[in-house]
Amino acid sequence: MLNLVENHSLPRTAAFFDLDKTVIAKSSTLTFGKSFYHGGLISRRAALRTAYTQFVFLAGGADHDQMERMRAYLSAMCRGWNVQQVREIIAETIHELIDPIVYDEAASLIEEHHLAGRDVVIVSTSGAEVVEPIGELIGADRVVATRMVVEDGCFTGEIEYYAYGPTKAEAVRELAESEGYDLSRCYAYSDSATDIPMLEAVGHPHAVNPDRALRREAVARDWPILAFQRPVRLKQRVPSLAMPRRPALAAAVAVGAAAATAGLVWYANRRRARLNTA
C-alpha cells in the first residue's frame, strides 16, 4: 500500500518505471513496426520480422543475449531513417497503438504516486523518439531512454546512449543527485532481470509480471511481485478523484476554512438576534 501523504520536510522521492511489459503490454518500439512499414521506412519483410520479434518478446521475455540481438537488429533497421518523419509517424499513431495497451494497474499506480507527491520517471531501453511521447501520454514527469546518433537529420545506426542494465541504475542515481531524491524512499518497477540494478538502487523495488530470473530474485529478496493483466484505453478508465497541486490544495483549504468561519459567525449572530427578540 502506498503512502498517500508525503512528509514535505523530507527529501523528494520518485517512482521509476520500466516501460515495456511494465507500463504497457508490448514492446513500445516493435509496436510501431506496421506504422513504419506504411510510412515507407521498412520493407514488408522487415515488418513481418518485427511482428515475429514482438511475438517472441511477449511469449518469453528477453534475456541479455536476446536484448543484444534486438538492439543490433533495431539499430541496423533504423539506419538512414529521417528523424522528423519517425516523430511524425509516432505522433499520428500513438493514440491508436499505445493507448489501448497501457495497463490499468500501472496507470493507477502512476496516479497514486502523483497523489503522494512523487515524481514519475520512465526508464526504458527503447529509443527516446518512442519513449518521450509515451511518457507524455501517461503523465510521466521525466523520461530516460536510449538515444541514437543523428547526422543531417537522420539516424546513423549508432547508439549515443544505451539505457540498459546497469546504465539504468546509473541514470536513477544521477537523477537522485540532481533532483534531490532520497532513493531509500523511492520506488521502482520492472518485469525483467536485466533491470535488477535499477531495482536494487531504491528502497521499494517491485517485480511486475516478472520473467523467471527476476521472479527467483524477487522471491529470494522478498520483493513484492505484482501482476498487471488489464490493458485498457486511458480514455475509458474511470478517472480517479484528482488531487489539486499543493498550492491549489492549500488555497482550497484556506477558502474552505474561511467559508466555514463565516458560516459560524453568521449562525452565531442570527442565533443571538433571535434570543434578543424572544
Side-chain angles (χ1 to χ4, degrees):
M1 186 68 180
L2 298 180
N3 294 323
L4 292 183
V5 178
E6 284 277 87
N7 184 337
H8 300 299
S9 65
L10 297 174
R12 298 171 61 206
T13 55
F16 301 94
F17 286 82
D18 177 42
L19 181 59
D20 300 348
K21 296 179 73 174
T22 301
V23 174
I24 64 175
K26 297 181 180 181
S27 162
S28 51
T29 300
L30 297 176
T31 296
F32 288 95
K34 189 175 181 180
S35 298
F36 293 153
Y37 166 66
H38 288 306
L41 293 176
I42 61 176
S43 65
R44 179 176 177 80
R45 182 178 180 181
L48 291 173
R49 183 177 177 184
T50 298
Y52 174 74
T53 305
Q54 177 81 277
F55 169 77
V56 172
F57 177 75
L58 294 176
D63 59 21
H64 174 75
D65 292 339
Q66 290 170 323
M67 285 295 294
E68 285 300 298
R69 288 195 294 271
M70 191 182 302
R71 176 195 61 77
Y73 167 62
L74 294 174
S75 297
M77 184 176 68
C78 76
R79 185 179 297 118
W81 286 6
N82 181 277
V83 177
Q84 184 58 35
Q85 183 182 5
V86 171
R87 288 173 176 160
E88 289 173 357
I89 289 173
I90 292 170
E92 290 169 0
T93 58
I94 187 170
H95 288 282
E96 173 189 349
L97 297 178
I98 300 299
D99 195 337
I101 62 173
V102 175
Y103 282 121
D104 187 30
E105 298 93 337
S108 295
L109 260 182
I110 288 170
E111 290 171 350
E112 289 179 29
H113 281 298
H114 275 150
L115 287 171
R118 301 183 189 98
D119 286 349
V120 170
V121 184
I122 300 298
V123 188
S124 175
T125 304
S126 293
E129 286 74 19
V130 170
V131 180
E132 288 173 358
I134 294 177
E136 183 176 353
L137 178 71
I138 63 178
D141 300 286
R142 290 174 181 78
V143 160
V144 176
T146 295
R147 297 191 302 272
M148 304 295 292
V149 176
V150 176
E151 291 182 2
D152 299 323
C154 296
F155 294 121
T156 67
E158 301 298 319
I159 294 179
E160 176 184 349
Y161 174 80
Y162 190 32
Y164 172 76
T167 306
K168 283 190 175 185
E170 292 170 10
V172 165
R173 285 190 285 267
E174 289 173 4
L175 266 179
E177 185 175 350
S178 64
E179 300 297 327
Y181 300 142
D182 178 358
L183 287 179
S184 69
R185 295 167 54 238
C186 287
Y187 293 71
Y189 303 86
S190 177
D191 72 294
S192 174
T194 62
D195 284 340
I196 287 175
M198 179 178 77
L199 296 172
E200 291 175 328
V202 302
H204 301 284
H206 293 72
V208 177
N209 299 340
D211 58 27
R212 286 190 293 270
L214 179 57
R215 182 176 292 275
R216 286 195 301 269
E217 197 73 18
V219 170
R221 301 192 186 204
D222 200 26
W223 290 348
I225 298 176
L226 307 179
F228 291 178
Q229 301 175 333
R230 299 191 304 272
V232 62
R233 285 188 177 275
L234 292 177
K235 292 181 180 178
Q236 293 177 349
R237 296 181 69 249
V238 177
S240 299
L241 291 175
M243 179 70 74
R245 294 291 182 184
R246 291 185 196 109
L249 179 59
V253 171
V255 169
T261 301
L264 289 173
V265 170
W266 173 84
Y267 176 77
N269 288 339
R270 183 171 180 179
R271 188 169 183 273
R272 190 179 301 111
R274 284 177 180 171
L275 291 174
N276 291 337
T277 56

